[in-house]
Amino acid sequence: MVIEVKEKIKSPVAFEQPGHLVAAKDGLVDEVLVISGVARVAPGDTVSKGQVLIEGALRPQAEQGGTTVPQTVAVRARGEVWARVWYEGYGEAALLETERVPTGRHVAVWTLLVDGQPVLRVGRRQVPYLDYEQSAVRSAIFKGILPFPVELVTESNYEIERRKQRLTLKQAHELAAERARFLAEIQLPGGVAVENVAVTNQNPGREGFVGVRHVLETRENIAEDENPGGD
């Protein structure tokens, strides 16, 4: 799996424009530090993604006709809002699991590409297996000798056999727990430490299956600019 990220760079002008700080994700507020603006949440509050945490406003007092009247001045909200955030994964396993096991048999096809176009194909084109896995390897040949690229693509098809494996209740729970843990951990942002872990068995509602829920608790600054690009 390849993930490509294109980050947007804030311009100095946009950074000075008035705006709020909002919640980047759901969480339970633990601490609020306001540098500029007005806090709209307090420790103990449950917040949802997109909710305003620190309003980009100041309210100084002004005298009008002998009466003190609050005035609102729009500013760029600055500060931090630390919250408890949870990442949850759920996994299941069957007491009768199906394994995909290679039989050792395979067929291959070789394709010669010249300047990206196939000119020769050698090997069995029809895969004789009902269930199989495929891999392809692309390698350059005559590199640097010819004025156009010449490549050889090797496609290998490996026969797979499905086998039934009966698990004990303990083995099924361990397998479900591993799946749940993986699904929870892939959600974690980089550099964020896990402070608490909760693992509970669940009833999947299907006979012959077990379920496990894996929950990771972190403490993060969830405040982000409402309009980070200044658009």
Side-chain angles (χ1 to χ4, degrees):
M1 180 172 66
V2 178
I3 300 175
E4 182 177 343
V5 178
K6 184 178 181 181
E7 298 186 0
K8 197 167 187 179
I9 301 175
K10 302 176 185 178
S11 67
V13 175
F15 185 74
E16 294 302 327
Q17 292 177 348
H20 308 310
L21 287 180
V22 299
K25 57 190 71 176
D26 299 347
L28 177 64
V29 177
D30 192 47
E31 180 183 357
V32 180
L33 173 63
V34 178
I35 299 175
S36 177
V38 179
R40 286 287 170 243
V41 296
D45 289 347
T46 299
V47 297
S48 302
K49 181 178 179 179
Q51 181 177 338
V52 175
L53 304 177
I54 301 177
E55 182 184 359
L58 293 178
R59 292 185 173 83
Q61 304 295 317
E63 292 289 337
Q64 291 184 3
T67 305
T68 301
V69 179
Q71 301 291 315
T72 301
V73 179
V75 297
R76 188 73 174 181
R78 294 185 178 88
E80 296 179 354
V81 178
W82 291 84
R84 297 287 172 179
V85 180
W86 291 270
Y87 300 92
E88 180 180 301
Y90 174 75
E92 288 185 358
L95 294 175
L96 188 61
E97 283 278 316
T98 300
E99 287 186 305
R100 291 168 53 83
V101 182
T103 65
R105 293 186 293 181
H106 75 282
V107 293
V109 179
W110 295 270
T111 303
L112 184 67
L113 302 178
V114 177
D115 201 18
Q117 301 298 318
V119 297
L120 180 64
R121 187 176 176 88
V122 179
R124 192 165 184 172
R125 302 192 180 191
Q126 294 295 328
V127 180
Y129 313 130
L130 293 177
D131 195 1
Y132 60 93
E133 291 182 352
Q134 186 181 79
S135 67
V137 177
R138 194 165 180 163
S139 55
I141 58 178
F142 305 123
K143 187 175 182 182
I145 299 176
L146 300 176
F148 43 80
V150 179
E151 298 173 294
L152 181 65
V153 178
T154 303
E155 299 176 11
S156 300
N157 301 285
Y158 300 90
E159 184 183 32
I160 298 296
E161 182 179 73
R162 295 176 182 265
R163 297 177 185 174
K164 297 290 186 179
Q165 179 186 16
R166 187 167 295 278
L167 305 179
T168 65
L169 189 60
K170 179 181 178 182
Q171 289 173 327
H173 274 118
E174 289 175 349
L175 181 58
E178 179 63 22
R179 291 169 176 171
R181 181 192 63 80
F182 172 78
L183 292 176
E185 288 184 348
I186 61 175
Q187 302 175 57
L188 280 175
V192 174
V194 175
E195 298 203 348
N196 289 296
V197 178
V199 180
T200 56
N201 294 333
Q202 303 286 310
N203 181 6
R206 295 194 292 166
E207 186 177 353
F209 284 80
V210 298
V212 174
R213 192 172 305 280
H214 193 103
V215 180
L216 306 175
E217 180 183 332
T218 65
R219 185 176 184 270
E220 305 174 35
N221 175 22
I222 63 171
E224 69 173 8
D225 291 332
E226 183 180 37
N227 186 14
D231 296 336

